[in-house]
Amino acid sequence: MKKIPPFISFIVGFTALALTGAFAQSPEVPEAPIIELLGTFDYPGTGNQTRPQKISDIGDVVGIFVDPSGASRGFIMFNNGNFSIPIVDPNDTGNLTEGRGINNSLLVCGDYLDATSGTFHGFFFSNNTFQNYDVPDSTTTIVLGLNNIGDFAGSATPTVESRRPS
């Protein structure tokens, strides 16, 4: 029997691997997403820090602005570019009301700080009227977003009593 030189064996083996698809295909690198800046805005006033949070299907934006004194207030930037007056929950004793979500009917959700207890409470705001909301058996409620039929989501911290086993 005739012996095949090692170099020829290597070439034959290499070719066989290539023909059977044994080489790993290099994965296609996905294209980087394209981000286009459509515009910028700031809540009116000197020295305000603007923090947009959510946008409705029709282009109304809700958010938070922090004024030069450090107080946080909610706001709406309407789809025509005009701004609401500051949104401040009447129970806010900690200078911290946050607009967190908005739907197409201009229902705003968010939270405010009760400085006396050191806890956050949720709210809904529409037509200049606040409706406060706390998850039952919780010390803190933060409403973070809502949809056009009024379903909402957020977070809550249960009370110590509600965490005890029955």
Side-chain angles (χ1 to χ4, degrees), residues 4 6-19:
I4 301 173
F7 180 72
I8 300 290
S9 295
F10 174 76
I11 297 285
V12 170
F14 196 71
T15 304
L17 287 173
L19 292 174

Side-chain angles (χ1 to χ4, degrees), residues 130-162:
F130 283 89
Q131 177 67 48
N132 292 121
Y133 177 77
D134 286 309
V135 172
D137 297 320
S138 70
T139 57
T140 294
T141 298
I142 298 175
V143 185
L144 295 169
L146 73 157
N147 64 18
N148 288 324
I149 60 172
D151 298 325
F152 60 94
S155 65
T157 304
T159 61
V160 173
E161 293 81 27
S162 68

Side-chain angles (χ1 to χ4, degrees), residues 41 59-63 75-84 102:
F41 67 88
D60 297 312
V61 175
V62 69
F75 72 87
I76 301 170
M77 183 183 77
F78 301 102
N79 59 17
N80 64 6
N82 293 329
F83 286 88
S84 69
I102 189 168

Side-chain angles (χ1 to χ4, degrees), residues 47-62:
N48 290 332
Q49 181 186 60
T50 305
R51 298 178 184 166
Q53 296 292 303
K54 304 285 185 321
I55 187 169
S56 72
D57 297 332
I58 57 176
D60 297 312
V61 175
V62 69

Side-chain angles (χ1 to χ4, degrees), residues 51-119:
R51 298 178 184 166
Q53 296 292 303
K54 304 285 185 321
I55 187 169
S56 72
D57 297 332
I58 57 176
D60 297 312
V61 175
V62 69
I64 306 157
F65 75 92
V66 182
D67 70 20
S69 75
S72 293
R73 305 292 184 227
F75 72 87
I76 301 170
M77 183 183 77
F78 301 102
N79 59 17
N80 64 6
N82 293 329
F83 286 88
S84 69
I85 61 171
I87 298 171
V88 182
D89 190 287
N91 298 305
D92 174 358
T93 58
N95 284 324
L96 203 156
T97 297
E98 300 176 309
R100 300 290 200 142
I102 189 168
N103 68 15
N104 291 351
S105 63
L106 294 177
L107 177 60
V108 170
C109 67
D111 55 82
Y112 69 91
L113 176 62
D114 176 355
T116 306
S117 65
T119 60

